[in-house]
Amino acid sequence: MPVIKHPKIREPVFHEWDSKAQKCGLRHTVYAVNGDKYTGEWQDNLKHGKGTQIWKNTGAIYSGDWKFGKRDGYGSYSVPDPVTKEYKKMYTGWWQNDKRGGRGVYFYSNGEQYDGEWKKGLRSGWGKMHYKDGSVYEGQWLKDKPNGQGVLRLPNGNRYEGGWKAGKKHGPGKYFYPDKGQLLEGTWVRDIPKCGALVDFERDNAAAPTEFPLPEIELQDPAAVLEEARAMFDDNQN
């Protein structure tokens, strides 16, 4: 009986070439079509592990962790100064899904600085912000604005402690005037104090106290106030 030989089945040559071209593990610099370049680790043809990316258009550099093609983990992001061309670090900290996420420090171009928590690229959670005018806010954030409980310290020494909403003082709070030795305690609505009481606070240690101390507020018994009101009503009826 004759023996029939069948040719071996082989995958197309381009499949083999494609398999060899797949990037996996540590690679030297790989250039993209637009001129961006990446040096680091790969997995399944995606940036994965430790690596450094340089964007051609902006000259920005990211060096840190990657996860399936996106910045994820710990890393730093720097940009070149338009005048000196020296690199300035803008952000160092944690990333999630290619955006700032977790704890990190951001250095703004105007000299301001934020050190705290991030979510989806926005300041969210607990953080401390140094403003260019010398003010410092430390407290809770939500979607890039102070929201919750926080303390704002001004360059002149005054400070506000209390509630915030959408970047404005909102809710119960205390505003301290150390130079005057006074304290305003009350309720704020959209940065405006709607009600409260101004009292002396450590007036003896104040740098520029008021000429006369504020008179103490005498609180009456609610039952006595009600009884007095009833008596006045009865008199008016008679």
Side-chain angles (χ1 to χ4, degrees):
M1 184 174 181
V3 178
I4 301 176
K5 295 184 178 181
H6 296 281
K8 294 182 179 180
I9 300 176
R10 296 185 60 184
E11 293 185 352
V13 178
F14 72 87
H15 283 186
E16 182 180 354
W17 293 345
D18 183 66
S19 177
K20 292 181 178 180
Q22 292 293 311
K23 293 181 282 294
C24 188
L26 181 62
R27 287 292 183 102
H28 295 295
T29 303
V30 176
Y31 291 84
V33 177
N34 60 3
D36 297 346
K37 55 183 179 180
Y38 171 82
T39 305
E41 297 176 303
W42 298 78
Q43 181 173 323
D44 298 331
N45 217 33
L46 295 172
K47 305 179 187 82
H48 190 86
K50 301 289 185 181
T52 300
Q53 168 92 14
I54 302 177
W55 287 267
K56 182 181 179 181
N57 289 339
T58 62
I61 295 179
Y62 169 80
S63 181
D65 296 326
W66 296 79
K67 187 175 181 181
F68 299 115
K70 295 182 179 181
R71 291 168 291 185
D72 200 295
Y74 191 85
S76 61
Y77 180 81
S78 304
V79 295
D81 186 274
V83 179
T84 64
K85 305 302 180 182
E86 295 182 358
Y87 275 91
K88 290 185 175 181
K89 189 172 292 184
M90 287 192 66
Y91 176 79
T92 180
W94 293 92
W95 300 73
Q96 293 177 351
N97 197 27
D98 217 35
K99 295 182 179 180
R100 293 183 292 274
R103 182 70 182 269
V105 182
Y106 191 94
F107 304 90
Y108 295 84
S109 58
N110 62 358
E112 296 181 345
Q113 177 182 323
Y114 172 80
D115 182 356
E117 297 176 309
W118 299 79
K119 186 176 182 181
K120 295 182 178 179
L122 302 176
R123 293 167 289 185
S124 290
W126 191 270
K128 188 175 185 179
M129 181 75 186
H130 294 263
Y131 297 95
K132 61 181 180 181
D133 65 354
S135 301
V136 178
Y137 171 82
E138 184 174 6
Q140 295 174 302
W141 294 75
L142 180 64
K143 295 182 178 179
D144 240 15
K145 295 182 179 180
N147 199 96
Q149 294 295 310
V151 179
L152 175 65
R153 294 180 173 85
L154 301 178
N156 61 5
N158 294 348
R159 74 179 187 274
Y160 168 81
E161 301 178 2
W164 295 80
K165 185 176 181 181
K168 296 183 178 181
K169 294 182 280 290
H170 193 91
K174 298 178 180 179
Y175 201 104
F176 295 85
Y177 301 89
D179 58 331
K180 301 294 184 183
Q182 293 181 333
L183 162 65
L184 174 61
E185 185 173 2
T187 301
W188 274 255
V189 177
R190 297 179 182 177
D191 257 355
I192 301 175
K194 292 295 184 178
C195 62
L198 184 66
V199 297
D200 287 328
F201 179 79
E202 297 184 356
R203 186 172 180 275
D204 295 337
N205 300 325
T210 55
E211 184 176 359
F212 301 103
L214 293 171
E216 295 185 3
I217 301 175
E218 295 183 3
L219 299 178
Q220 293 181 305
D221 183 15
V225 174
L226 181 60
E227 186 63 30
E228 183 178 352
R230 287 177 177 172
M232 293 179 61
F233 178 78
D234 293 340
D235 291 343
N236 291 333
Q237 292 296 320
N238 297 330

